[in-house]
Every structure is written in C-alpha cells, then in structure tokens.
Amino acid sequence: MKISEIRAIEILDSRGKPTIRTFVTLEDGSTHSASVPSGASTGTHEALELRDQDPKRFLGQGVMSAIGNVNTTIEAELVGKDVVEPREIDASMLRLDGTENKSKLGANAILSVSLAVHRAAAYAHNLPLWNFLNTYYFSGDHKVEASFPRLMVNVVNGGKHAGWNFDIQEFMIMPLSTKPAESVRIAAEIFAELGNVLKSKKLSTLVGDEGGYSPALSSNEEVFETIEKAAGNLGYSRNKDYHFAVDCAATEFFENGSYILKKNNQTKSAQELMDYYAEIGQKYTIQSFEDPFAEDDWETFSRFTELAEKHQFQIVGDDLFVTNPHRIEKGINQKAANAVLIKLNQIGSVSETITAIQMTQRAGWNVAVSHRSGETEDTFIADLAYGSGAEFIKTGSMSRSERLAKYNRLIEIENQF
Ligand code: PGA
Ligand code: ZN
C-alpha cells in the first residue's frame, strides 16, 4: 500500500519541551502516527537531535527545522513508495541524510517517519504492531519468539532526572514475574507503599522526570532499605518477588578521570567505584547495573563485567553503546557488558534499532528496550519489546501517564488487543 502524504507537527513531550509527531497517510486514506522522545542524560555518541536554536521560540528548543525536513525533503522522497517494506523506506531516508549521525535531516525527523511508517506497514499487513515487527524482523535466521519482558521500574529518581539528590540516576525494582498485569500490580503496590513509608518519615513524595520519588534520604543504602521495607510491609521479598537494579548514568558524575559523588562528598577512582558497586551489589542483590562507568571507559566496563559474571550481575550499556551497531560490536569483542539498553532515538530509525537488537541477541546478551526521560503518549516500545522477545523493558515508575501508557499497552497485548 503506497504512501500518499507525510506531515509532521510540533507537539510537547512530558517535560513540556517540543518534539515531533508525524502522520503518514496511505492511499486508502488511513493515517498512522508516531511521536519521538528525548533524553536528558544523553550520551555523547547519540545520533543528532535537531533543534532550531532560535531563542525566540521555546528557548531555542523548537523543532520546526526538523519538521520542515519531514514535510519537504523526506515527504518528496517517500510519497508513492509502498510501506510493506519499511526497511527499504528507512534505507532511503538514510541515503537522503547521508551523514554518520543524521545531522542533515535530524535523527528526530527520520525516527518520527520511521516509526509511523512501521505502524502503517503493520496496518497494511493487517497485523498488530508487535506481530508485524516479530514476523518481519524476527523470522528466518533471526527467529525469535515474541515474549513479555521483565519490567525495570524506576521507583526512586536521582541524577539529572531529579536534579538535587542522588548521584545514582535510577533505583529500580524488577518483579520476577513476566506476566504484564501481575508484574505491574506488584510494582504499583510497592510504589504506593513506598509513598506511605516516605510520608511516615516526613519525606517528600514528589516525583521526578520518570515518575519515581526523589526523597531526602541520606544514602544509596537507605534508598534500598526503604524500598525493601515498603515491599516487606506487603509481604514481598527481595529475590523471591523482585530484584533491585540501578542505572548509575556515571558519565554524569565523571570529571577529569574521577567519579565525583556529591551526595557523600567523595571522589572515587574507577577501581574504588567498582569495589563500591560490588559491595552494594552483593548486599542488596542488585541484579542489574546500567552505565556503572563513563561512556568511553571501555576498559573498566570490561573489568567490571568479568567480576559481575561471578556475582551474576547484569551489566547494561546505555550511553556506552547508544544503540549503535558499531559500538555494540566493539563491546561484544571487548566483553564490555552483557546487556544492551535499546533506545530508538539514540540511533534514529527502527530498522537500525532492530539490527542493534539482533546483534545483541546473537552475542547471547540481554536486550532491555527503553523509554527516554522526556516521553510522549506513544507506546511503540511496548510492542517492540514484546515483538523482539526482549528480556527487559525500562519505562519508568508507576506514575505519570507517559510512563503508564507503555505498561498499559503491555497489558493490552497480554489480553490480545
Ligand atoms: P535519559 O535517561 O532519557 O535522560 O537519557 C534514561 C537513561 O539514562 O536510561
Ligand atoms: Zn541509562
């Protein structure tokens, strides 16, 4: 079925910052849309998010130039093309851009079209999105069964997402269940009870960018203990019902070769930080460490991964890999991690994201499909996580509708909608 029109508009993300929603209209008159998210603790090696830098609009954050690229150059190239082969449509946009990091058209412009085209393709094939992604990309040599991911639920926000409290950016719980409705219920109960515990300590229950609390607790250790207390009040226990996970986003506190922990007023070397992670990792059975070191510190990542495998920790590269197949390949060769965080807008098209997922799967590593801290109501990542058989999905806490939209979409899929 052929594309008859493509049109993008400027909408706002969950932080009130401009982003793009693109509408792809097919020859039968049906319209298929998608929106792109935006990060705060972004990796240096991510594809370029094109912003206008016009101080008169949205403090320079407008995206009218990227929208112009969709409505003129990209539309002119794609009108008349058949959506049943979206990989080819992505390839023509990459050719049109012609740069390494999508700096000509903008990764946000290209991704918005790529997402909407994949929705249109699912419609043209008469399949739910997850089913289309699974049959189109994960059959033959790359055969993977669709399966529900475990949830990584960010109940306490620190770092850049809260702006004042913890050096570690995300304190997460991961229910053991892979049934969406059941794991959402367990996480939501623990999140609600954590609010009660914080209130009883006269601490704030205001939430950060990803919907987790950001209370004035005195240490990382106290965060784990408070979450564990809340879970225990409900009869849930660590290792039996849930695990802990963290996203350290360590690039954010890396300065001149050292890690500066503002909370404890300490400066740590990479080795000292690694020792600290090993200590809290064992004490609280933290099953997953994301970005424990800075984004170009491959060597320390490799050393920590070797140690982690003894303790059965998962080491996830986010800013390290930026969903970029070249960096993932390097990481696999250097054994720099054993899991990859997958963010569509770090690389800027669906088909390249799928290549990143397939490389990760071939290496026997885990895949964690992720939102960004600036999100929209779009739920594409829920279908992607299920359709690609990802082991994990990371999409925030149990508050804020832009986070819950993804969990709710998983529940819909579980109920065959
Ligand atoms: P970001 O944070 O979207 O602000 O980059 C999410 C993460 O680091 O995983
Ligand atoms: Zn991260």
Side-chain angles (χ1 to χ4, degrees):
M1 203 174 295
K2 294 201 173 76
I3 296 173
S4 60
E5 191 188 354
I6 299 181
R7 204 156 74 80
I9 58 172
E10 192 175 48
I11 61 159
L12 298 185
D13 72 14
S14 57
R15 283 191 277 250
K17 227 168 119 173
T19 189
I20 306 178
R21 177 168 294 163
T22 287
F23 297 82
V24 168
T25 304
L26 298 180
E27 57 189 333
D28 70 348
S30 63
T31 297
H32 310 273
S33 69
S35 310
V36 295
S38 174
S41 63
T42 46
T44 313
H45 307 285
E46 295 191 20
L48 183 103
E49 182 179 79
L50 191 60
R51 297 214 176 255
D52 300 338
Q53 315 299 344
D54 169 3
K56 292 203 270 319
R57 293 187 75 252
F58 290 112
L59 292 80
Q61 298 294 310
V63 288
M64 292 313 289
S65 43
I67 284 170
N69 293 341
V70 174
N71 292 346
T72 57
T73 320
I74 296 178
E75 190 198 42
E77 173 76 13
L78 298 186
V79 162
K81 287 214 158 72
D82 202 319
V83 285
V84 293
E85 288 288 349
R87 204 178 347 221
E88 283 169 22
I89 293 184
D90 279 359
S92 28
M93 286 193 283
L94 300 193
R95 272 196 303 276
L96 202 58
D97 178 81
T99 67
E100 187 71 19
N101 65 347
K102 302 186 174 62
S103 52
K104 185 166 164 215
L105 297 172
N108 43 352
I110 294 172
L111 180 63
S112 74
V113 177
S114 178
L115 292 165
V117 160
H118 279 78
R119 282 220 165 90
Y123 166 83
H125 286 271
N126 199 19
L127 290 171
L129 180 58
W130 68 264
N131 193 338
F132 169 68
L133 295 172
N134 185 263
T135 46
Y136 185 64
Y137 287 112
F138 296 94
S139 53
D141 286 354
H142 300 293
K143 177 90 185 125
V144 177
E145 297 292 338
S147 64
F148 287 112
R150 280 181 68 193
L151 313 183
M152 307 180 91
V153 182
N154 177 7
V155 290
V156 172
N157 293 183
K160 264 205 170 167
H161 298 163
W164 72 286
N165 199 347
F166 305 103
D167 300 292
I168 290 181
Q169 179 179 279
E170 301 173 17
F171 296 85
M172 293 174 275
I173 52 170
M174 306 191 296
L176 261 74
S177 167
T178 52
K179 295 197 186 95
E182 184 183 331
S183 34
V184 163
R185 177 178 57 76
I186 293 167
E189 288 171 359
I190 295 174
F191 180 68
E193 181 60 12
L194 177 58
N196 294 335
V197 171
L198 292 172
K199 272 186 217 138
S200 73
K201 293 183 172 206
K202 305 253 177 311
L203 293 172
S204 164
T205 53
L206 297 177
V207 297
D209 284 358
E210 296 190 348
Y213 303 120
S214 183
L217 293 166
S218 61
S219 63
N220 299 327
E221 288 77 354
E222 200 186 356
V223 175
F224 295 117
E225 280 155 25
T226 309
I227 299 170
E228 191 160 4
K229 162 118 187 32
N233 288 351
L234 304 170
Y236 292 125
S237 53
R238 171 153 62 88
N239 299 338
K240 190 165 108 354
D241 302 298
Y242 69 94
H243 287 119
F244 282 128
V246 289
D247 179 3
C248 307
T251 305
E252 300 296 330
F253 54 87
F254 182 69
E255 271 173 51
N256 303 322
S258 302
Y259 293 91
I260 318 267
L261 301 175
K262 296 203 179 70
K263 180 81 185 168
N264 306 333
N265 219 352
Q266 285 175 339
T267 299
K268 286 191 191 290
S269 66
Q271 182 60 49
E272 286 164 347
L273 188 61
M274 194 183 315
D275 294 343
Y276 175 64
Y277 290 147
E279 181 196 319
I280 58 170
Q282 289 175 84
K283 186 161 178 203
Y284 301 106
T285 51
I286 301 170
Q287 206 195 20
S288 181
F289 286 85
E290 179 180 331
D291 282 351
F293 302 99
E295 63 194 349
D296 288 308
D297 193 354
W298 297 92
E299 200 244 304
T300 312
F301 261 95
S302 299
R303 281 199 291 130
F304 189 44
T305 301
E306 204 182 325
L307 177 75
E309 297 196 331
K310 286 195 206 105
H311 299 304
Q312 293 174 336
F313 302 153
Q314 169 174 269
I315 308 300
V316 188
D318 169 16
D319 293 348
L320 179 71
F321 297 133
V322 289
T323 316
N324 183 317
H326 299 298
R327 290 182 71 89
I328 296 170
E329 188 177 15
K330 177 171 173 179
I332 292 168
N333 291 336
Q334 301 191 8
K335 297 199 171 84
N338 53 29
V340 178
L341 201 78
I342 296 290
K343 289 169 166 169
L344 287 146
N345 80 324
Q346 283 181 326
I347 186 73
S349 73
V350 175
S351 54
E352 290 168 290
T353 301
I354 302 280
T355 302
I357 293 175
Q358 289 169 338
M359 285 179 74
T360 307
Q361 291 172 333
R362 270 201 304 277
W365 289 13
N366 284 347
V367 171
V369 173
S370 173
H371 65 162
R372 297 308 304 247
S373 52
E375 264 296 334
T376 71
E377 313 83 288
D378 195 300
T379 59
F380 195 103
I381 60 166
D383 285 75
L384 176 64
Y386 181 63
S388 67
E391 283 77 11
F392 295 94
I393 187 168
K394 188 174 95 152
T395 185
S397 188
M398 289 292 155
S399 80
R400 299 186 59 135
S401 290
E402 77 280 5
R403 314 293 150 190
L404 295 170
K406 282 70 162 173
Y407 294 122
N408 290 341
R409 174 66 190 137
L410 286 174
I411 295 173
E412 281 183 1
I413 298 173
E414 187 181 25
N415 286 285
Q416 274 139 44
F417 288 106

